Amino acid sequence: MRWSKTFIPTLKEDPQDAEAASHKLMVRAGLIRRLSSGAYIYLPAGLKSLKKAESIVREEMGRSAAVELLMPSLQPPELWKRTGRYDDIGEVMIKYTDRHGKEVALGPTHEEVVTDLVSREVRSYKDLPLTLYQIQTKFRDEVRPRFGVVRSCEFLMKDAYSFDVDAESMERSYKTMYDAYCRIFDRCGLSYLPVEADPGLMGGTVSHEFMVPTDIGEDRIVVCPSCGYAASTEVAAVKASAAAGQSTDPKSPEEVRTPGASTVQDVSAFLKVKPSDLIKTLIYVADGEAVAVLIRGDHEANDAKIKRHLGARSLELANEKKVEEVTGGAMGFSGPVGLSLRIVADNAVRNMAHAVTGANEKDKHLRNVDPGKDFSVKEWIDARVITAEDPCPKCGSGIELKYAIEVGHTFKLGTKYTEPLNAMFLDDNGKQRPIIMGCYGIGVNRILASLIETSHDADGIIWSRALAPYEAVVIPAKKEDEKISREAERVYAELAQAGVDVILDDRDKSAGVKFKDADLVGFPFQVIIGKKGMETGSVEVKTRSAAKPEFVKKENLLGTMKGDVSPPQNKL
Ligand SMILES: [Zn+2]
């Protein structure tokens, strides 16, 4: 490819609407352009990288005996009603009514569609196991599209679905996909980490997220440097510390006025106590039933853990009206003393003494409240998000909390979809049984964005060789010099012939502009053709991840490019 014939519109300035480094660089390097909120155009160089990521995914799916198909983005919502997910997913699903008055959905995912297909086509245990996948555009009505292609309303997903006769066979399919995911992200050059995760809306029991740690990540993970434990904070268990025993100085609850102070910060500032001396009483509605959840003031409630404990399908915080109805007091002033509701409390609350709680009356709190003495709890559970001060759930050592971008997710679904959609098979005894399912997603756009987010410098992107739009750029240092120009053409042809994905910067621009653009777009190799090299029968080669260019004998050029030039990655 000649640069003059392609379309890589690079920019000197960062786009104004971009916060994340990857977003800024993808725009500046001429890979993407914004069309509207959450919708991006892939320009030719960006699309080339995207296609490279796609083909790595395809190759590894193929090696795992997964077969590709293509399902429509347009989906009948009836299928979602049959699995009960129509209500669960809510506004996230983009829907419209067609000219016949029928509701149509734009698929945010395809479990229903693929299970319906399998229910109609698979009859016998002889048809199983089967793993189907597609690479298809998905749609989500995001509340807040962010960070360019990291969180967009339209995005490219690889979604795979495994179908097995029993749990044991499903374990094998799951492991095969898990291993394929590791190979895919390794080959792409990502610094990723598989972590234990919460299945959430997908359902099922076990799941793993493939995370790329970066400060712009919207997910939080916990990592133990000692034993290698890694999990999403949604599932990381918090060990309950030993009971502190009852206070030796029993006091009676005392009512205090706290006008207008309804948050932990306001109340602790007003009463001059630490947030950890407060008990937060959160009123939730779980499948229509109100439940009070008690959490220490400085801790964060973990909805995933609470939901699992309650076995609830839906869980949300109660609105103001509901809080008043069930506690008799205003929102922000709820407390466990005298409350006639189901109470679930986090283990850390058990060790509190002389705590401050809401008094179930507007502008009033209670001091000197002791669990056990002033209110009783039957359900002590792990209901909070792990903090950096908590020990590792596995080995007890210190842990680290990190932010991360999720690039892949694998789920063991069981029969969550196959039962309601009647995807059955005849086993070898002629008995009808539901198929056991797994599902596996990869955000293809996120592979690019997370690589750039974790691999760039002040000058631009540092691509892995596997995903770079071109592996090498040939830059004639002085285009108007005919000899240099001819030599550049020769080197370009030689590299192309040898199978290197190469671009010749034949633009009518200064060498300075070309060097800057080469660094910005981030080609792994820059081959610079200049006077000095030509006099000595050599070319100047700069690898993007190295600091300085070096002169290489012409005949050794291809040999130089054989080495590994993956960007230096943090060992995780
Ligand atoms: Zn550990």
Side-chain angles (χ1 to χ4, degrees), residues 224-229 392-399:
C224 172
S226 305
C227 75
Y229 172 82
C392 168
K394 208 167 152 193
C395 76
S397 311
I399 52 165

Side-chain angles (χ1 to χ4, degrees), residues 461-476:
I461 300 169
I462 303 176
W463 282 108
S464 62
R465 189 167 181 177
L467 297 187
Y470 294 93
E471 293 170 284
V473 58
V474 175
I475 305 173

Side-chain angles (χ1 to χ4, degrees), residues 481-524:
D481 184 319
E482 224 178 85
K483 265 193 189 158
I484 287 179
S485 185
R486 265 210 308 276
E487 176 65 2
E489 288 281 350
R490 192 197 62 74
V491 171
Y492 167 61
E494 183 195 332
L495 291 177
Q497 191 123 50
V500 177
D501 190 10
V502 60
I503 184 167
L504 172 66
D505 195 347
D506 60 342
R507 292 176 300 169
D508 195 9
K509 301 231 180 215
S510 75
V513 168
K514 291 182 184 182
F515 294 147
K516 270 206 151 41
D517 276 351
D519 280 345
L520 174 60
V521 183
F523 310 106

